[in-house]
Amino acid sequence: MTRCVSDSPSLFSLPEKPDFSLEAGLLQRGSIYVAGTDEAGRGPLAGPVVAAAVILNPDDLPCGLDDSKRLSKVNRETAFNDICGKALAIAFASASAEEIDVMNILRASLDAMTRAVAALSLTPNHVLVDGRDVPKGLPCPGTALIKGDQRSISVAAASIVAKIMRDRMMAVADAEHGRYGFVSHQGYGSTKHMAAITDHGPVPRLHRFTFAPIKTA
């Protein structure tokens, strides 16, 4: 991974909502396709980390995009459907709990981003990456954007796709392990989740055994 010079925006310089200005600047400088990439699921005690990459159509941008964490579930689903209907290319990739335990969460997240970008049906000329690091192995230059999902709608679109796909994976986990309540907390350390771990123990290949308090148990 390549760590960029700090790109941390001032709290008061963040736009009210992400826009297409960063992408427009890159298009004007010769990039044909600009992708945004982001991940969902770095903090939970269980489940994969999921990354998505999206190339938006400059002539048909989806409406209402924002950092997935700032959208309601209903608005995320609406935005997701709009992205799927209008984007030029969408892809996602995940790293399992086992991979996270082996690689650590940062490396697993960046690796998933690289694989998501590689899976796009169009090869981007530049990638806007949420966070402080540009993943290794991208097919083109990348720019790390702190709070990128609040600044670039391409990154915001990727954050929405990643969140939706991870939630769907956790719904499958909930169907197989209903007593843990994954569909309600998505693997985060809620009171209900912690009680289930205490009562039933962590689930191999689903819980992250290098994460506290599972690690110390």
Side-chain angles (χ1 to χ4, degrees):
M1 65 187 173
T2 302
R3 176 148 290 185
C4 68
V5 176
S6 177
D7 185 53
S8 181
S10 163
L11 174 64
F12 302 105
S13 68
L14 282 172
E16 183 177 345
K17 285 192 175 182
D19 57 34
F20 200 68
S21 59
L22 293 168
E23 294 89 334
L26 289 165
L27 293 172
Q28 290 175 357
R29 292 193 291 275
S31 294
I32 299 173
Y33 299 121
V34 179
T37 186
D38 198 0
E39 49 73 29
R42 282 184 64 164
L45 304 178
V49 61
V50 177
V54 177
I55 300 176
L56 295 176
N57 182 351
D59 299 319
D60 193 12
L61 296 172
C63 298
L65 299 193
D66 202 347
D67 172 4
S68 63
K69 296 183 291 297
R70 301 201 299 196
L71 295 176
S72 69
K73 183 176 181 179
V74 171
N75 288 341
R76 268 198 308 270
E77 289 284 354
T78 299
F80 175 78
N81 291 333
D82 202 21
I83 294 164
C84 290
K86 294 181 177 180
L88 297 176
I90 302 171
F92 73 95
S94 64
S96 69
E98 288 181 302
E99 291 175 301
I100 292 167
D101 285 339
V102 170
M103 300 173 68
N104 78 46
I105 185 60
L106 175 60
R107 288 180 55 200
S109 299
L110 294 172
D111 180 70
M113 287 183 183
T114 298
R115 289 186 283 113
V117 172
L120 288 167
S121 58
L122 299 171
T123 302
N125 304 103
H126 201 97
V127 179
L128 300 175
V129 184
D130 184 64
R132 296 178 178 274
D133 302 298
V134 176
K136 289 182 178 179
L138 294 179
C140 60
T143 300
L145 298 174
I146 296 171
K147 298 189 181 297
D149 47 11
Q150 297 179 33
R151 301 166 65 188
S152 156
I153 64 168
S154 296
V155 177
S159 78
I160 291 166
V161 172
K163 171 63 174 170
I164 291 290
M165 299 312 298
R166 187 178 190 278
D167 284 356
R168 293 180 180 181
M169 293 178 185
M170 295 310 294
V172 173
D174 184 77
E176 297 178 354
H177 305 280
R179 59 191 179 184
Y180 290 86
F182 290 121
V183 77
S184 65
H185 53 66
Q186 309 301 335
Y188 284 88
S190 69
T191 300
K192 180 178 180 180
H193 190 190
M194 296 308 300
I197 293 173
T198 299
D199 292 342
H200 309 296
V203 180
R205 298 182 298 279
L206 183 57
H207 279 98
R208 303 174 183 180
F209 283 78
T210 54
F211 278 40
I214 299 172
K215 178 180 180 180
T216 56

